[in-house]
Amino acid sequence: MNAPNTLTQLAKASLVDVCGRAVKSLRISVTDRCNLRCTYCLPAGSAGFNQSEDLLSFDDIVRVVRVACRLGVDHVRLTGGEPLVRAGLPELVARLKTETPVREVALTTNGVLLERNVPALASAKLDRLTVSVDSLQPDRFRAITCLGSIDDVWRGVRAAAEAGLHPLKINVLVLRGVNDDEIDAWVELTRDHDLAIRFLELMPVGEGGSAELARRYVDLTEVRRRLERDFGLTPIETRMGNGPARYWKVPRALGVVGFITPISDAYCDKCSRFRLTATGDLRPCLAHELSVPLREAIRAGDDEAIEAGFRQAGALKPAGHAWRQGGLTQIRMSSIGG
Ligand code: SAM
């Protein structure tokens, strides 16, 4: 296909969903497996993982991203499961950066395997890195993740900072009675560390929808208002990737504080994101169990059919979620690519 050379052709080529939102971002799960067993995501004893022959290969992923870029996607985030348990992940980053026109490639990881992967990720020219760390306390971190050592994660974060992977974002999923007493300590950390600490609200997705977890939900819009009073947190204008976080700052701090509030302050009207599961299902919305299977078209090398699948997903993308009305999403976060 020739590059579009008029505005009309451009408008035709780019993907705008049924609600008029342009699709700019693709979140790709490279595996549904994980080396941690976080209680709210993939608890100990979880079974029923994909077989490796069912996963999209790196060639497959590069092909989809090329087609997605033709449709206006300019940002890709690799996730999972835990993306770094997929062998050779930095090679995929390098291929996306050199073999597709995508503007930004980002990675979300639990950080356990980060330190050893930092040199290859840096030389692959990874644009953005997010590390999920739900507690500053070693014992608590272990209790939440079942298997993780926080020392491994901090070594990875330090190595990433030293390698110049910037901005460095830390995701903290806040749970009542589990880690909500650490919010102030995280905010304090931004005073002299150039980190973006982002607090996430629990979504009723997969395990997160269980009755036990539902009562651990924390309204982060309320938390933000309290932090504005207690720390003088003020909103800042910043673009950090393509995500839904909005950012605030303690006066004179080196770092920033972000809030991801899908429930208390939803941003569905601005959602520019699709998700691709590790087995090639394209999901236009995290909250709804709608998907368009693309694996056959990808493996057949049929770019027109892949493009048609994206357009079909655009036609299916709902206006928003029904979580505030008690809606649940019955699929594991680790398979959708959280
Ligand atoms: N393994 C990687 C990691 O730990 O970042 C990537 C996958 S993990 C599913 C991505 C993010 O989803 C993590 O920050 C995790 O805290 C978040 N997450 C998982 N389940 C969630 C839920 N029910 N609600 C909100 N966030 C969730």
Side-chain angles (χ1 to χ4, degrees):
M1 183 181 165
N2 294 329
N5 52 11
T6 68
L7 277 180
T8 326
Q9 278 176 300
L10 190 64
K12 243 192 200 157
S14 34
L15 178 52
V16 175
D17 74 25
V18 66
C19 299
R21 297 163 295 193
V23 178
K24 306 295 286 176
S25 164
L26 183 62
R27 224 172 151 108
I28 302 174
S29 172
V30 295
T31 174
D32 61 339
R33 291 173 193 262
C34 188
N35 47 0
L36 296 183
R37 287 291 178 271
C38 296
T39 46
Y40 58 82
C41 185
L42 192 63
S46 298
F49 296 100
N50 293 317
Q51 298 303 307
S52 55
E53 62 271 21
D54 293 329
L55 301 184
L56 296 184
S57 67
F58 289 176
D59 284 345
D60 293 337
I61 293 172
V62 167
R63 176 175 289 279
V64 183
V65 171
R66 277 206 206 106
V67 174
C69 289
R70 266 178 18 195
L71 297 173
V73 166
D74 63 3
H75 177 272
V76 160
R77 176 167 294 275
L78 303 175
T79 178
E82 170 48 40
L84 291 177
V85 302
R86 177 94 187 243
L89 196 273
E91 184 204 324
L92 176 61
V93 175
R95 289 192 58 186
L96 292 171
K97 293 291 296 179
T98 53
E99 296 175 32
T100 79
V102 75
R103 185 174 54 84
E104 271 188 358
V105 179
L107 175 70
T108 297
T109 171
N110 60 34
V112 171
L113 299 175
L114 183 57
E115 187 184 21
R116 72 183 77 159
N117 278 289
V118 158
L121 289 170
S123 56
K125 305 250 178 321
L126 179 74
D127 294 291
R128 292 173 187 277
L129 179 64
T130 301
V131 186
S132 303
V133 194
D134 291 334
S135 178
L136 289 159
Q137 301 174 20
D139 291 350
R140 189 179 277 180
F141 181 84
R142 170 60 68 109
I144 295 170
T145 62
C146 290
L147 301 170
S149 153
I150 196 155
D151 293 342
D152 294 340
V153 178
W154 285 133
R155 273 202 303 276
V157 170
R158 219 169 289 125
E162 283 163 15
L165 288 171
H166 185 270
L168 254 173
K169 301 180 198 164
I170 306 283
N171 277 358
V172 185
L173 181 79
V174 181
L175 295 173
R176 186 176 309 286
V178 174
N179 60 356
D180 56 336
D181 56 344
E182 292 184 60
I183 291 175
D184 290 13
W186 282 110
V187 175
E188 283 293 346
L189 200 71
T190 64
R191 288 190 195 274
D192 46 12
H193 291 82
D194 184 9
L195 295 170
I197 305 293
R198 295 138 41 102
F199 298 118
L200 273 64
E201 284 179 355
L202 178 74
M203 293 180 269
V205 176
E207 194 61 30
S210 70
E212 151 62 14
L213 280 159
R215 60 192 179 81
R216 303 211 173 272
Y217 165 80
V218 177
D219 177 329
L220 292 177
T221 302
E222 277 174 17
V223 168
R224 199 237 311 142
R225 291 199 189 107
R226 177 186 64 78
L227 294 172
E228 284 173 350
R229 287 193 304 274
D230 293 358
F231 284 85
L233 222 53
T234 48
I236 54 167
E237 278 305 316
T238 178
R239 290 286 307 151
M240 279 205 204
N242 224 310
R246 281 155 277 189
Y247 291 93
W248 275 254
K249 198 176 167 99
V250 176
R252 293 175 297 284
L254 290 183
V256 298
V257 182
F259 297 88
I260 302 183
T261 52
I263 312 234
S264 67
D265 190 8
Y267 35 79
C268 302
D269 58 326
K270 294 184 204 67
C271 181
S272 62
R273 185 181 282 183
F274 276 4
R275 290 179 153 80
L276 185 68
T277 69
T279 52
D281 289 335
L282 188 61
R283 300 184 64 102
C285 174
L286 172 63
H288 290 264
E289 283 134 46
L290 296 164
S291 64
V292 178
L294 287 188
R295 190 173 60 192
E296 229 174 86
I298 298 168
R299 289 192 173 166
D302 186 344
D303 289 355
E304 297 313 314
I306 299 171
E307 179 170 335
F310 270 82
R311 294 202 182 277
Q312 194 186 341
L316 290 173
K317 191 168 167 77
H321 61 68
W323 291 333
R324 281 179 83 104
Q325 293 76 45
L328 300 176
T329 305
Q330 311 275 10
I331 181 172
R332 274 190 199 151
M333 197 70 154
S334 52
S335 355
I336 325 174

